[in-house]
Amino acid sequence: ENFLQNTSAHFFSNSHDAFASLSTLNLSSFTKLMKKLEELHPEASRDKIVDALLEVKKNNKGILSGLSISSIVERTSVVL
């Protein structure tokens, strides 16, 4: 899926800033991904989930394009 591409490495103070800085974002995929991660990790704040998601992106050469939602969930869960 075309998801979360072309984001430069920035520090985000909250998930809204991260969301606003993620270009070419597929909103329905992001919403689905966040919902799944929030269900799997109820102890994690939304900001912590976004930080983990950005870490996965960083570890994948700065892109998430080409990874399935399930792969992104799995990798983000490892970070969390």
Side-chain angles (χ1 to χ4, degrees):
E1 290 183 36
N2 183 7
F3 187 74
L4 300 177
Q5 288 182 298
N6 303 324
T7 303
S8 57
H10 293 287
F11 174 76
F12 299 105
S13 61
N14 62 47
S15 61
H16 175 73
D17 291 344
F19 179 80
S21 298
L22 296 170
S23 60
T24 66
L25 179 66
N26 180 321
L27 183 58
S28 66
S29 292
F30 180 78
T31 301
K32 184 187 306 182
L33 177 62
M34 288 302 294
K35 182 178 178 183
K36 181 68 173 172
L37 288 166
E38 288 170 336
E39 288 171 0
L40 289 172
H41 303 282
E43 76 289 351
S45 69
R46 188 170 181 85
D47 289 346
K48 186 167 179 87
I49 292 171
V50 170
D51 288 344
L53 182 58
L54 292 170
E55 180 71 20
V56 169
K57 182 176 182 239
K58 178 181 150 193
N59 292 338
N60 194 54
K61 301 178 184 177
I63 60 170
L64 294 177
S65 179
L67 295 176
S68 66
I69 294 284
S70 62
S71 178
I72 295 168
V73 167
E74 182 179 317
R75 292 176 187 205
T76 304
S77 293
V78 168
V79 173
L80 289 169

